[in-house]
């Protein structure tokens, strides 16, 4: 249990996907104008990252490791994630139109997202078991959600502020993202292992 | 040997995944009415949300499903409505007259001076919440341009006197500016309405006189002067019934504060959105 908590809080705060690992920057900048759309995107990312972690874990341990083809994991995982997202999109379009309305437009955007691929590859390098991999997927996506929601709220507020003409739009957004990243560096001093009693 | 194994595994898994997706796309195929796309083509495509559905495709789906009326879209013109009606096999409703947004306030800073210097967010909503805004009239236009930001059709701009001006040729009566104004100063009126009381103040006459030089003081002179009996007083504010008004202009002349205005420009017909 302790180790799962370490993985979770580590993923959300210490190794935040966007602000510390710098993965998934394109949706972070692209889909953060409004808090609502950022929330939709976060939900889709949590869903896909958890699912991708589990499915790629099985693929890794059932095919790649027995066949000695670990070096193919990157290309295989891309294939799996793209298939998975397309499949999920079709299934929810058929079975749950309201969910499709909420998540549908965001799902194709994350088929080849580096954050999703990143979490699955990290699961392999960290040698996580199935449960740990799933928790790591949810944690990474929750970290993404925290970062993009905070950022979207700041950007909504900035839209109404008086900003020098040359900094309006993306320049000020990039400066803000940099400042947020520095703020998140403050979490790097946490010793989660000691906090949750895992050494 | 290792190369062959890698190619086999990758090729097979690729084929397998492709097969799964092909099967799934058949199994989970969602029937779509072809009319949906055609109607979406006819709609203006601005995705303004004025119809109450998520974007133009949402509106098209609702029209096909029967959840929305044929002329659910307030932005499109009657020609588009007729073509959509033909697609759906029904008569389109009576030609609804085009409406335009009009700004019901003339209290520029020289006529309605500020109460305090507002230096907050450039948003009318924020200013309105700060003790009723910086204008001395609590009904008056705050002039921060939230309506200009809300307009998706570039039809509303801030005039030289700090009040928004509607470009009636571009206005589509989508109502986004109406919703954006925290004071309800912008309203949709039929484009043919010539005479309007450009004030929303419901304050008593003496109060209006103190705060604004061009507000309606509720004196009732226009009510008595109107030969058509088209004007009534509602809460210290003159209201013109566009049905009865024949644009004779007597009230415009008689109004002591000049808050009744005759629109001088000829209506400009906007280009078809189809």
């Amino acid at each position: 249990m302790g180790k799962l908590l370490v993985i979770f809080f580590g993923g959300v705060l210490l190794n935040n996907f966007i602000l510390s690992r710098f993965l998934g920057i394109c949706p972070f900048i692209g889909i953060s104008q409004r808090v609502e759309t950022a929330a939709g995107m976060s939900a889709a990312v949590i869903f896909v990252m958890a699912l991708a972690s589990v499915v790629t874990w099985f693929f890794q341990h059932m095919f790649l490791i027995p066949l000695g083809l670990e070096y193919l994991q990157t290309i295989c995982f891309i294939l799996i994630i793209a298939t998975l997202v397309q499949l999920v999109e079709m299934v929810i379009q058929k079975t749950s139109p309201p969910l499709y309305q909420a998540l549908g437009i965001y799902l194709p955007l994350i088929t080849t997202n580096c954050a999703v691929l990143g979490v699955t590859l990290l699961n392999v390098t960290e040698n996580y078991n199935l449960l740990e991999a799933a928790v790591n997927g949810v944690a990474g996506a929750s970290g993404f959600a925290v970062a993009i929601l905070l950022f979207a709220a700041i950007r909504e507020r900035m839209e109404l502020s008086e900003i020098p003409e040359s900094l309006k739009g993306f320049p000020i957004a990039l400066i803000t993202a940099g400042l947020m990243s520095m703020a998140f560096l403050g979490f790097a001093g946490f010793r989660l292992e000691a906090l949750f009693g895992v050494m | 040997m290792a190369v062959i194994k890698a190619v086999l595994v990758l090729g097979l898994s690729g084929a397998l995944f492709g097969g799964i997706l092909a099967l799934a796309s058949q199994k989970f195929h969602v029937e779509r009415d072809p009319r949906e796309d055609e109607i979406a083509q006819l709609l203006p495509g601005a995705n303004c949300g004025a119809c109450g559905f998520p974007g133009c495709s949402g509106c098209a789906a609702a029209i096909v499903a029967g959840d929305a009326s044929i002329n659910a879209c307030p932005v499109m013109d009657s020609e588009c409505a007729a073509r959509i009606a033909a697609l759906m096999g029904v008569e389109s409703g009576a030609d609804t007259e085009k409406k335009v947004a009009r700004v019901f306030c003339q209290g520029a800073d020289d006529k309605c001076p500020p109460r305090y210097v507002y230096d907050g967010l450039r948003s009318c909503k924020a200013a309105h919440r700060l003790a009723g805004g910086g204008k001395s009239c609590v009904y008056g236009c705050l002039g921060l341009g939230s309506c200009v930001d809300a307009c998706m059709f570039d039809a509303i701009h801030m005039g030289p006197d700090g009040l928004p001006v509607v470009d009636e040729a571009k206005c589509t009566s989508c109502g986004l500016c109406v919703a954006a104004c925290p004071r309800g100063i912008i309203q949709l009126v039929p484009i043919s309405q010539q005479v309007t009381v450009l004030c929303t103040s419901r304050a008593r006459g003496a109060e209006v006189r103190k705060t604004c030089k061009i507000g309606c003081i509720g004196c009732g002179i226009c009510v008595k002067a109107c030969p058509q009996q088209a004007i009534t007083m509602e809460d210290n504010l003159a209201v013109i019934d566009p049905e009865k008004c024949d644009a004779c202009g007597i009230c415009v002349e008689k109004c002591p504060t000049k808050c009744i205005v005759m629109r001088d420009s000829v209506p400009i017909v906007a280009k078809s959105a189809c």
Side-chain angles (χ1 to χ4, degrees), chain B residues 62-151:
Chain B
I63 290 176
V64 172
D67 296 337
S69 73
I70 301 295
N71 36 20
C73 175
V75 175
M76 69 179 171
D77 55 19
S78 49
E79 192 193 331
C80 296
R83 283 168 67 181
I84 290 175
L87 258 177
M88 293 296 294
V90 286
E91 289 283 306
S92 82
D95 264 35
T96 41
E97 195 192 347
K98 184 180 149 67
K99 285 187 168 186
V100 286
R102 210 162 279 176
V103 182
F104 280 73
C105 179
Q106 302 185 93
D109 276 358
D110 55 326
K111 294 175 189 104
C112 180
R115 265 193 303 163
Y116 62 84
V117 178
Y118 177 75
D119 193 21
L121 293 178
R122 308 307 294 165
S123 149
C124 296
K125 261 189 193 132
H128 180 62
R129 284 189 190 153
L130 194 63
K135 268 283 167 71
S136 43
C137 170
V138 290
Y139 298 93
C141 174
L142 294 160
L144 294 170
S146 286
C147 47
V148 179
D149 296 337
C151 184

Side-chain angles (χ1 to χ4, degrees), chain A residues 59 64 67-69 71-72 75-76 79-80 83 86-87 90-91 93-95 101 157 160-162, chain B residues 2-3 5-6 9-10 13-14 17-18 20-21 24-25 27-30 54 119-123:
Chain A
F59 197 81
L64 296 182
L67 293 170
L69 292 173
Y71 62 92
L72 284 181
I75 191 164
C76 282
L79 205 60
I80 293 169
T83 312
Q86 295 290 323
L87 190 68
M90 284 186 230
V91 172
Q93 189 175 11
K94 181 78 175 179
T95 52
Q101 284 279 323
R157 173 69 174 73
L160 299 168
S161 312
E162 285 191 53
Chain B
V3 176
K5 201 161 70 172
V9 167
L10 208 55
S13 43
F17 293 146
I20 292 175
L21 277 188
S25 70
K27 193 159 164 37
F28 295 103
H29 182 65
V30 179
D119 193 21
L121 293 178
R122 308 307 294 165
S123 149

Side-chain angles (χ1 to χ4, degrees), chain A residues 103-167:
Chain A
L103 295 187
I105 49 170
Y106 304 108
L107 281 177
L109 295 176
I110 34 180
T111 32
T112 49
N113 190 288
C114 53
V116 184
L117 182 65
V119 81
T120 58
L121 292 175
L122 279 171
N123 288 339
V124 173
T125 46
E126 296 284 332
N127 228 344
Y128 285 147
N129 65 29
L130 180 58
L131 185 60
E132 288 165 351
V135 169
N136 190 36
V138 174
S142 307
F144 176 94
V146 167
I148 198 171
L149 284 174
L150 287 174
F151 190 55
I154 295 174
R155 283 186 81 176
E156 270 194 18
R157 173 69 174 73
M158 278 196 308
E159 215 169 81
L160 299 168
S161 312
E162 285 191 53
I163 297 165
E165 196 59 46
S166 53
L167 286 179

Side-chain angles (χ1 to χ4, degrees), chain B residues 39-71:
Chain B
I39 291 177
Q41 287 280 313
L42 285 173
L43 290 172
N47 294 320
C48 65
C51 53
F53 296 99
C56 290
S57 55
C59 184
I63 290 176
V64 172
D67 296 337
S69 73
I70 301 295
N71 36 20

